[in-house]
Amino acid sequence: MIAANTIALVRTPPIANECPNFGFLAWCKSANLTLSESKKVRDFTTHGRTIEPGSYLYNAGAPFISLYAINSGFLKTTLADKDGREQVTGFCMAGEIAGLDAIGSGTHECDTIALEASSVCGMRYADFQRLMLAIPALQLHLVRMMGSEISRDQGLMLLLGMMSAGERVAVFLLNLSVRYAARGFSETRFRLPMSRAEIGSYLGLKLETVSRTLSHFQEIDAIAINGKSIYLKSIPTIRRMIAVYGSPKGH
Amino acid sequence: MIAANTIALVRTPPIANECPNFGFLAWCKSANLTLSESKKVRDFTTHGRTIEPGSYLYNAGAPFISLYAINSGFLKTTLADKDGREQVTGFCMAGEIAGLDAIGSGTHECDTIALEASSVCGMRYADFQRLMLAIPALQLHLVRMMGSEISRDQGLMLLLGMMSAGERVAVFLLNLSVRYAARGFSETRFRLPMSRAEIGSYLGLKLETVSRTLSHFQEIDAIAINGKSIYLKSIPTIRRMIAVYGSPKGH
DNA sequence: CGTAGGTTTGAATTGGGTCAATACAGGTGG
DNA sequence: CCACCTGTATTGACCCAATTCAAACCTACG
C-alpha cells in the first residue's frame, strides 16, 4: 500500500489525463467531492477500456459488476421482452454513466452496445458501495442520478403514450441538441450515430416513419439532413412542432 | 427523551398496530432491519393520514418533504407536460411506497391522487437521510427500491413502444392480478378502482379502445367484467394474448 | 466494381382514434 | 320509493396517422 502510494506520487500524471475529457473524475466534480475524495475514487477506477462499434459493454442478464463512465463515443441500451422483441431504451454519450439499470436487481436488464468506437472508465460497484459509506456526498449523488434516470424514463413514457410521430422526432432532435451543447459541441450541427431503425425503436415508430418525418422537417426548412449528419436550421421551428403540429392523441 | 421512552414502554401498542397491515414497518421488514432499527424508523413516522377519493397526496411542483407508505386504498400518479397534456404514469396500492419520483430533483414531478379513500404513513426524507447514515441496510434498500422503479418504468416503455391494444390491456390485468395476489387478495376477482379513461391514459390508449378490448376479452371468455368488478376466468388465455394475439408493431 | 446494409419514397392497408348516440350506475331530492 | 340528473361506460360508423409492402437508391467497403 505504502509502496504503491509512493510510486503513484512519482508516476501518476495529472488526474485529468487518466480520464480524458469525461469519466469518473469529471463526474466526481459534479458530485462536489473534495480532491482527496476524488483521488480515492480514482484509485478504484479502471481506465480506457475501448469498445468496438457493434460490440457489447455488457449483456442483459449479466451479473452487475461495474458502473461505467463514458469517455468518448456513443452507445445504445436495448431491452428485450420474453418474446424476443426488443426496444432501444436510451442512448448514452460521453460524460454520461451507464449501468444504473442493474443497481436494483444486481443483474443487468439491458444490453448496452457501442454504436461507434467508445472508451469508458469502469468502477466496481462493490468498491463504489464501500466508498459511499465513507463519502456521504457520493451516496447522495448516486440517489440523485437514479432519480434523474426515473425522470428521464417518465418523460419517455409521456412521449410514447401521447405524442404524434412529428412531435416524437422533434423531442428526440432537441434532446440530442441539448446534450451535445452541454458537452461543448455544436447544438445545431451534429451526427446521428444510430440508424433510422434504432431511432424508430426508441421513439416507438417504424424506420420508414422516422425517415418520412425527417424528410418532412427538411421540406419545411427546419433542418437539413444527409445520412447521419444533421443541421438544425431553426430550433424554434422544431420546438413549435411539439404539441402544436398535430397531436392526434392529445385531447 | 428518557421520559418519552419510559412512557413509550407503557403506552406503545405492538408495533404492528400503528401501521396496520402495511406501512413503513412492513417495509422495514422487507429491508431486513433489526427490531431496534425498525423502532428508530417508527419514531420518525407519522401514522394514519387519510386521503379522500379525488384529493391529492401531493402535487407536482411541491417541494419534496416525505415518502409515503400506502396502508390501504388506491392512488394514481399523473405526469403533465408543459402543454398541459397529462398521462397516468402509475397506480399505487397498499404495501407500496409513493414519492420516489421526487428524490432526484427535490421536487415532486407527479401529482398523486387517491382513487378511493386511502390511508398512508409518512416519513420525512430529511429524517430518512439521517437514518440512512446510521443504518446502511436502509440505504441499500432505498437504492434497490429506486432500481425497481426504473425497471417498472422501462417495462412500461416497452409496452408503450411496441405492444398492440390487446397486449397492453392483457399486461395491465395480469400485473394487477399479481399485485393483488402478493397482498393476499384474490388474483382472479378484484376491482378496478380507476376509470376506463385512466386505464387508457396509463396504457397509451383512448378510453373507447380500452372498453372495446375488455368487451372483446369477455366475448372470447377470458374475463367477465361488470363496471369496475372484474373476474379473470382464464389467466392462461390472457397470458397468451401477449405477443401472440396480433402485435402490429412487433417484428 | 459489385454486393450488402441502410435510406428514401410511393401506394395500399389497418389499428386505433374520433365523433356520436345510447345505456347504465350512483346519488339526490321530492 | 321512485323520478331525475350527472358522470361513466358501451357500442357503432367513419376516418386518418402510421404501418406494411415494395421498389429504387445510396454509401461503404472488401
Side-chain angles (χ1 to χ4, degrees):
Chain A
M1 281 288 263
I2 293 166
N5 275 336
T6 319
I7 291 169
L9 280 174
V10 175
R11 66 150 206 227
T12 301
I15 284 180
N17 281 7
E18 293 208 335
C19 271
N21 303 319
F22 303 108
F24 275 106
L25 290 169
W27 182 81
C28 288
K29 209 180 131 202
S30 77
N32 284 316
L33 301 196
T34 64
L35 190 60
S36 79
E37 287 169 341
S38 293
K39 278 185 182 153
K40 273 190 226 160
V41 171
R42 185 198 51 184
D43 290 342
F44 288 106
T45 304
T46 64
H47 300 281
R49 170 175 163 197
T50 61
I51 308 131
E52 299 301 303
S55 61
Y56 287 71
L57 175 57
Y58 54 78
N59 295 82
F64 175 43
I65 310 289
S66 292
L67 290 172
Y68 301 95
I70 318 299
N71 266 310
S72 67
F74 214 103
L75 327 209
K76 67 171 176 181
T77 58
T78 68
L79 191 64
D81 68 8
K82 36 204 151 255
D83 312 297
R85 290 181 292 181
E86 74 171 34
Q87 177 170 7
V88 174
T89 57
F91 297 103
C92 241
M93 56 196 284
E96 299 175 338
I97 303 286
L100 289 176
D101 61 286
I103 286 189
S105 61
T107 302
H108 285 289
E109 319 228 345
C110 305
D111 289 312
T112 295
I113 303 170
L115 294 173
E116 52 186 41
S118 304
S119 137
V120 303
C121 297
M123 169 174 286
R124 301 186 142 260
Y125 186 59
D127 294 331
F128 194 85
Q129 284 184 309
R130 226 168 292 126
L131 283 174
M132 278 201 294
L133 292 177
I135 311 175
L138 202 58
Q139 195 189 119
L140 292 180
H141 198 57
L142 176 67
V143 166
R144 235 178 289 124
M145 272 197 323
M146 294 185 77
S148 16
E149 176 67 17
I150 292 174
S151 304
R152 190 191 72 86
D153 287 353
Q154 294 201 336
L156 196 50
M157 281 169 40
L158 250 160
L159 178 145
L160 291 168
M162 20 185 261
M163 289 190 179
S164 68
E167 290 180 285
R168 293 180 199 209
V169 173
V171 167
F172 173 72
L173 294 178
L174 292 174
N175 176 264
L176 274 186
S177 168
V178 167
R179 284 156 77 190
Y180 275 116
R183 278 149 195 86
F185 300 112
S186 165
E187 61 176 354
T188 54
R189 290 176 196 275
F190 48 87
R191 277 176 54 78
L192 304 171
M194 69 297 284
S195 72
R196 301 290 187 265
E198 284 159 343
I199 299 174
S201 172
Y202 179 62
L203 297 177
L205 300 171
K206 294 280 112 164
L207 68 97
E208 295 95 326
T209 308
V210 173
S211 178
R212 271 185 252 274
T213 307
L214 289 171
S215 299
H216 174 63
F217 281 16
Q218 188 156 233
E219 274 162 31
I220 64 170
D221 226 42
I223 67 171
I225 191 163
N226 186 344
K228 298 202 182 305
S229 307
I230 189 167
Y231 166 35
L232 308 188
K233 292 173 83 168
S234 166
I235 289 183
T237 305
I238 302 171
R239 204 169 274 136
R240 241 174 287 123
M241 310 297 288
I242 301 168
V244 172
Y245 175 69
S247 99
K249 300 187 167 186
H251 85 170
Chain B
M1 281 288 264
I2 294 166
N5 274 336
T6 318
I7 291 168
L9 280 174
V10 174
R11 64 148 209 229
T12 301
I15 284 180
N17 282 7
E18 293 207 334
C19 271
N21 304 318
F22 303 108
F24 276 107
L25 290 169
W27 181 80
C28 287
K29 209 179 131 203
S30 77
N32 284 317
L33 300 196
T34 65
L35 190 60
S36 79
E37 287 169 340
S38 293
K39 278 186 181 152
K40 273 190 226 162
V41 171
R42 185 198 50 184
D43 290 342
F44 288 107
T45 303
T46 64
H47 300 282
R49 171 175 163 197
T50 61
I51 308 129
E52 298 301 303
S55 61
Y56 288 71
L57 176 57
Y58 53 79
N59 294 83
F64 175 43
I65 309 289
S66 291
L67 289 171
Y68 301 95
I70 317 299
N71 264 311
S72 67
F74 215 103
L75 327 211
K76 66 171 176 181
T77 58
T78 66
L79 191 64
D81 68 7
K82 35 203 153 266
D83 311 299
R85 289 182 291 182
E86 76 171 33
Q87 177 170 7
V88 174
T89 56
F91 298 103
C92 242
M93 57 195 282
E96 299 175 337
I97 303 286
L100 288 176
D101 61 285
I103 286 189
S105 61
T107 302
H108 284 290
E109 319 228 345
C110 304
D111 289 312
T112 295
I113 304 170
L115 294 173
E116 52 187 39
S118 304
S119 138
V120 304
C121 297
M123 170 174 286
R124 303 185 141 261
Y125 187 58
D127 295 330
F128 193 85
Q129 284 183 310
R130 225 168 294 127
L131 283 175
M132 278 201 295
L133 292 177
I135 311 176
L138 203 57
Q139 195 190 117
L140 292 180
H141 198 57
L142 177 67
V143 166
R144 233 177 293 125
M145 271 197 322
M146 294 184 77
S148 16
E149 175 69 17
I150 292 175
S151 304
R152 191 191 72 86
D153 288 354
Q154 295 201 335
L156 197 50
M157 281 168 42
L158 248 160
L159 178 144
L160 291 169
M162 17 184 264
M163 290 191 179
S164 69
E167 290 180 285
R168 293 180 199 209
V169 173
V171 167
F172 173 72
L173 294 178
L174 292 175
N175 176 264
L176 275 186
S177 168
V178 168
R179 285 156 76 190
Y180 274 116
R183 278 152 195 83
F185 299 111
S186 165
E187 62 177 353
T188 54
R189 290 176 196 274
F190 47 88
R191 277 176 55 79
L192 304 172
M194 69 297 283
S195 72
R196 301 290 187 265
E198 284 159 343
I199 298 174
S201 171
Y202 179 63
L203 298 177
L205 300 171
K206 294 281 110 164
L207 67 97
E208 294 95 328
T209 306
V210 173
S211 179
R212 270 186 254 274
T213 306
L214 289 171
S215 299
H216 173 63
F217 281 16
Q218 188 155 234
E219 273 162 33
I220 64 170
D221 226 43
I223 66 171
I225 191 162
N226 186 344
K228 300 203 183 302
S229 307
I230 189 167
Y231 166 35
L232 308 188
K233 292 173 83 168
S234 166
I235 289 182
T237 305
I238 303 171
R239 205 169 273 135
R240 241 175 286 125
M241 309 298 288
I242 301 168
V244 172
Y245 174 69
S247 100
K249 300 188 167 185
H251 89 169

